[in-house]
Amino acid sequence: MLDFSFYDPPIEVAANSPRLEMIVSRLKAAGLRPYTAPADIDFSAADPLLVDMASAAPETLARLRRAAMIGSVPRQIVLLNTSGQNAPRLEGALHLRLDKDISTLRSRLAALARRASRLREAAIRRATAEGLGAKLPPVDINAVPALLYLGDGSPFFLSLQGALRQRGVEITAALSRPTARQHMTSKRFAAALIDLSMAHEEASGMGRWISEEDGLAGLPLIVISRPQAEFTERELALLSHATDLIDPATDDDTIVNTVEALCRRLHASAPMMPLPGLSALTVTDLATGLFTRGFFEAHLPRQMQIAQEQAEALSVLTLRLPPEIAKSIPAQKIAGDVIARQIRDTDCGALAEPGMFVISLPATPYRGGVRLAERIGEAMDRSGSPADLSWRVTERRSYHTPQTLISTALIGPFVRTRIAA
């Protein structure tokens, strides 16, 4: 059997035997690729570093504490076995209280990477708009963030609902997938929240909404989850979509503060979306509600630079309407609405030319672009005005320039969704 573990995300481990062997084994089972840290650890390396508080060398812990005091730990730190330990106060560090929490580590690291990618996209999108002459308003600190709660209300969440509303967080509950989809079409939410500490099958079943073709795949997800719980494969898949995880073991006031802070931060840091008021500045296409080609061409070089610096994938998805309706304004409007509901807020969708749309997908390989194309095609069929979309996915290579990447994405060949299926 072929071993594809080389493609698992790497992580450096600072621990000593016999715990080292146990930690390495659990990390491999969690889908990570561990390797042992040397005595002289480099705190500026790119890979995450797991430090076992129970077995790491005293010199390692002392160096980590000194680095934390002066704030010079740019890499992602994971502290294991922190229950009852005097752990260093490191900003952004992940704390795993028990060994069994290692099973969620890959998902939690992915959540942190997703958050960082979102912040980078928000910054460069604002820079692109300002470079085109747009005068964007400052962040409104009094804005009311909207939170979409998925489920019928667990006892734990119901106890927090009143406190959150008093803090100025607007909460909307969705009891079914159609209800969630309807809310998403009429309002922009800062995040969705799901309580995974409730009955497992009910919670993970509702979590399928996040990964299915219901317009929720791009919404930041806050998960209330007990790290020491035993998770099913479906629940681990749900955790992999999370933007932030909250441990319900802490007191209610702390949880309310955390949820409020996350909602306000996600609302304030959301990447700029196409705005009708910016149409005169070649930012927004009024016919489709997406970005213009001029904005896309100005923004793609920034996305490519970030992808190169972070060693991340970047793909461009091109969608084409059938020739007979390509120039129809109503058809383009419907397609633009469908695309806007299906993409993440970090994806940049634009009208390249009548009947042809381009979407840049940060941190997304070719396979992810294909899944999005299929999802958009199915959503078009459900829209009441189905169209035989054809599509093409182009993944960035080292030899691509912004101009060659765009031209390659637009030239074809294109694939019909129904034929590909």
Side-chain angles (χ1 to χ4, degrees):
M1 180 180 293
L2 296 176
D3 182 10
F4 294 102
S5 61
F6 177 81
Y7 295 101
D8 293 337
I11 184 169
E12 194 171 7
V13 180
N16 288 312
S17 296
R19 284 186 55 81
L20 175 62
E21 288 75 15
M22 178 274 296
I23 293 171
V24 167
S25 176
R26 293 199 175 198
L27 287 171
K28 289 181 178 179
L32 294 164
R33 180 163 50 90
Y35 61 95
T36 306
D40 187 16
I41 295 177
D42 181 6
F43 289 109
S44 62
D47 295 340
L49 170 66
L50 184 145
V51 179
D52 180 33
M53 300 299 297
S55 68
E59 296 81 5
T60 298
L61 297 178
R63 291 187 63 225
L64 184 62
R65 287 190 172 92
R66 288 195 295 270
M69 290 176 187
I70 62 176
S72 61
V73 188
R75 73 188 300 187
Q76 178 62 58
I77 303 296
V78 180
L79 301 177
L80 176 62
N81 199 21
T82 59
S83 180
Q85 300 278 352
N86 183 21
R89 294 185 178 181
L90 282 166
E91 183 178 357
L94 281 178
H95 289 244
L96 304 181
R97 293 183 298 171
L98 303 173
D99 294 337
K100 64 192 303 184
D101 297 346
I102 292 176
S103 63
T104 65
L105 180 55
R106 178 169 181 172
S107 298
R108 298 179 70 177
L109 289 173
L112 291 176
R114 195 175 296 114
R115 183 196 306 170
S117 177
R118 192 170 188 265
L119 292 174
R120 289 192 295 267
E121 175 63 21
I124 64 173
R125 193 172 291 185
R126 189 178 187 91
T128 301
E130 291 174 347
L132 293 174
K135 302 296 182 183
L136 301 179
V139 176
D140 183 7
I141 61 174
N142 296 317
V144 177
L147 179 66
L148 179 64
Y149 177 71
L150 303 181
D152 57 359
S154 68
F156 175 75
F157 177 74
L158 291 176
S159 66
L160 305 177
Q161 189 172 6
L164 286 171
R165 284 178 171 158
Q166 289 179 357
R167 299 289 188 91
V169 178
E170 181 183 343
I171 301 174
T172 303
L175 306 183
S176 65
R177 283 181 291 178
T179 304
R181 191 187 310 138
Q182 182 178 4
H183 289 320
M184 286 288 294
T185 59
S186 60
K187 183 186 298 184
R188 187 179 182 191
F189 293 92
L193 185 143
I194 187 169
D195 185 1
L196 201 58
S197 65
M198 69 166 84
H200 282 300
E201 185 60 30
E202 181 183 5
S204 58
M206 291 173 180
R208 287 202 304 262
W209 304 352
I210 299 298
S211 56
E212 290 185 355
E213 294 70 34
D214 292 295
L216 298 177
L219 191 63
L221 176 65
I222 302 172
V223 176
I224 299 177
S225 171
R226 300 183 185 276
Q228 58 270 44
E230 296 291 342
F231 295 103
T232 65
E233 290 294 329
R234 180 180 294 173
E235 290 161 349
L236 288 174
L238 169 62
L239 289 173
S240 69
H241 290 278
T243 305
D244 290 278
L245 302 173
I246 297 177
D247 186 351
T250 54
D251 60 275
D252 289 358
D253 288 340
T254 301
I255 295 175
V256 170
N257 290 335
T258 302
V259 174
E260 180 193 5
L262 290 174
C263 288
R264 293 192 181 277
R265 186 179 302 120
L266 289 168
H267 178 81
S269 64
M272 182 201 74
M273 303 303 286
L275 302 173
L278 300 178
S279 59
L281 300 171
T282 67
V283 172
T284 306
D285 177 72
L286 289 181
T288 62
L290 302 175
F291 289 112
T292 62
R293 178 167 179 169
F295 181 91
F296 184 87
E297 291 179 341
H299 188 58
L300 187 61
R302 289 186 168 94
Q303 290 183 314
M304 293 180 66
Q305 181 179 357
I306 292 293
Q308 183 173 354
E309 292 173 353
Q310 300 296 321
E312 294 177 342
L314 173 68
S315 298
V316 175
L317 167 62
T318 311
L319 298 163
R320 187 173 61 184
L321 294 174
E324 60 270 18
I325 62 171
K327 296 184 179 181
S328 166
I329 298 298
Q332 293 187 70
K333 175 63 176 174
I334 292 173
D337 291 342
V338 169
I339 290 172
R341 289 197 300 268
Q342 293 297 322
I343 62 177
R344 305 165 296 186
D345 57 7
T346 54
D347 301 333
C348 182
L351 179 68
E353 57 188 59
M356 187 174 293
F357 305 85
V358 288
I359 309 169
S360 60
L361 308 172
T364 304
Y366 177 88
R367 183 174 53 185
V370 172
R371 286 201 297 265
L372 177 59
E374 294 171 345
R375 194 164 71 230
I376 291 175
E378 292 173 4
M380 283 290 293
D381 289 342
R382 296 196 303 266
S383 68
S385 299
D388 288 333
L389 287 175
S390 54
W391 52 265
R392 174 180 173 82
V393 178
T394 308
E395 186 173 349
R396 180 191 72 91
R397 302 301 182 193
S398 59
Y399 52 80
H400 275 138
T401 65
Q403 293 74 23
T404 59
L405 182 57
I406 291 175
S407 61
T408 303
L410 294 177
I411 288 174
F414 290 83
V415 178
R416 279 289 177 92
T417 301
R418 286 192 173 86
I419 296 176

